[in-house]
Amino acid sequence: MTTSTSVLITGASTGIGATYAERFARRGHDLVLVARDKVRLDALAARLRLEHAVAVDVLPADLTKSSDLLLVEARLRDDERIATLINNAGMAQSGSFIEQTPDQVERVIALNITALARLSNAVAPRLAGAGKGAIINISSVVGLAPEFNMSVYGATKAFVLFLSQGLHLELSPKGVYVQAVLPAGTYTEIWDRAGIDISAYAEMMKVDDLVDAALVGFDRRELVTIPPLQTAARWDALDTARQALLSDLQQAKVAERYRP
Ligand code: NAP
C-alpha cells in the first residue's frame, strides 16, 4: 500500500542510501532518489516500483554543483508530498591533511556540509509549517574521534551531528523529528571511491544491518543513533558531561587561570 508521503534520499544510487530506499519502499513510501548516476538510479527505481508498488522519481544531481543543488532544494520546498529528507550523500578522502589539496578539502565540505545544510534549510520551514515530517542526517563515528586521522571528513561529520542537535532543539517543538545516524566502518563503495585500502582493517558492519539498526532508532524517535555503540550509557555520559558545561560556559567573568 502506498502512503500519502514520500521520502527524498540523497546518495541513493548505492550503499547506505540505496538500502534506505529499499527499506522505505518496503514500508510503502513513495521515493525521490537523488545522486549523479542516472543509470543506477533508474535501475533501482524500476526494481522498487516492481517489487513494492510505490512511485519512484529519479532526480539526477551533482550536489557539489550549485545549479543542481538548487533544483533539489526547489523540489524539497515545493513538493508537499515529501515528508522525510534523508541527507545521506557523502564522501571520504584518503591521506592526511597535508597530503590533501585545497580543492579536495573544498569538495568534501561542499558535499558533506554545504549540500546537507542547504537541503535541510530548504525543507525545514515547510515541515515546521505542516507540524510534521523528519530529517535524517547521516553523520559518522569519525565525527567523535579526531584520533581516527580523518580530520576534514571527521570535522564535516561533527558538523552534521551538531546541526542535527541544534535542529532537534528548534524543530521538535514544531513537530519535526530530526535524527543523526553515526555509522562506523560499513561495507560500501565509499572506501574504493576515496582510495582507502580496507584490506588490513578489522571487520566492518554490513550495510543492511546498519540501515535496519538506524531504522530501529528512527522508529523510537531517537535523536542520536549509533548502531556500533555497544553500551548506550557511554553516549549518555558524554552528553550529560557536555550539558554540565553549559552554565560554566556562559560567564562574563574571566576564569581564574587566565587572569594576568
Ligand atoms: P557510497 O557507497 O560511496 O555512496 C555514496 C552515495 O552518494 C552514492 O549514491 C553516490 O552516488 C552519492 N554521491 C557521491 N557524490 C555525490 C555528489 N557529488 N552528488 C550527489 N550524490 C553524490 O557511500 P556510503 O558508505 O553509502 O555513504 C553514505 C553516507 O554514510 C555518507 O554520508 C558517508 O559519509 C556516511 N558513512 C559511511 C560509512 C561507511 O563506512 N560506509 C561510515 C560512516 C558514515 P553517485 O556516485 O551516483 O553520485
Side-chain angles (χ1 to χ4, degrees), residues 10-17 34-37 40 61-64 87-92 107 111-112 138-141 153 157 182-191 193 204 207:
T10 68
S13 62
T14 184
I16 295 170
V34 178
R36 292 165 303 179
D37 190 332
R40 283 178 116 179
D62 181 340
L63 298 174
T64 64
N87 273 313
N88 164 77
M91 63 184 294
R107 193 168 164 71
L111 183 61
N112 295 9
I138 309 302
S139 173
S140 166
V141 296
Y153 176 76
K157 294 304 181 178
L182 279 65
T186 305
Y187 291 117
T188 68
E189 294 171 14
I190 198 168
W191 306 99
R193 289 172 187 256
M204 294 191 183
V207 70

Side-chain angles (χ1 to χ4, degrees), residues 18-154:
T19 308
Y20 264 114
E22 197 277 332
R23 296 303 192 269
F24 273 101
R26 205 190 276 180
R27 290 175 175 216
H29 288 272
D30 294 339
L31 302 169
V32 182
L33 306 180
V34 178
R36 292 165 303 179
D37 190 332
K38 183 172 182 316
V39 173
R40 283 178 116 179
L41 290 177
D42 282 337
L44 177 63
R47 181 169 70 77
L48 296 179
R49 284 182 203 116
L50 196 68
E51 290 177 0
H52 302 287
V54 293
V56 186
D57 282 356
V58 160
L59 187 50
D62 181 340
L63 298 174
T64 64
K65 287 194 180 142
S66 60
S67 52
D68 286 10
L69 190 51
L70 287 172
L71 290 177
V72 184
E73 289 171 31
R75 180 69 184 258
L76 285 167
R77 239 188 325 268
D78 300 339
D79 184 345
E80 297 195 344
R81 297 202 53 239
I82 298 174
T84 303
L85 164 64
I86 306 181
N87 273 313
N88 164 77
M91 63 184 294
Q93 251 174 350
S94 61
S96 67
F97 188 63
I98 57 173
E99 291 164 339
Q100 293 163 355
T101 67
D103 284 348
Q104 287 176 323
V105 168
E106 184 179 3
R107 193 168 164 71
V108 172
I109 291 171
L111 183 61
N112 295 9
I113 291 185
T114 307
L116 180 141
R118 289 191 64 113
L119 296 179
S120 302
N121 185 258
V123 81
R126 182 171 61 72
L127 299 184
K132 60 184 180 203
I135 300 174
I136 301 173
N137 291 326
I138 309 302
S139 173
S140 166
V141 296
V142 183
L144 297 173
E147 292 76 6
F148 289 175
N149 296 319
M150 299 174 82
S151 297
V152 176
Y153 176 76

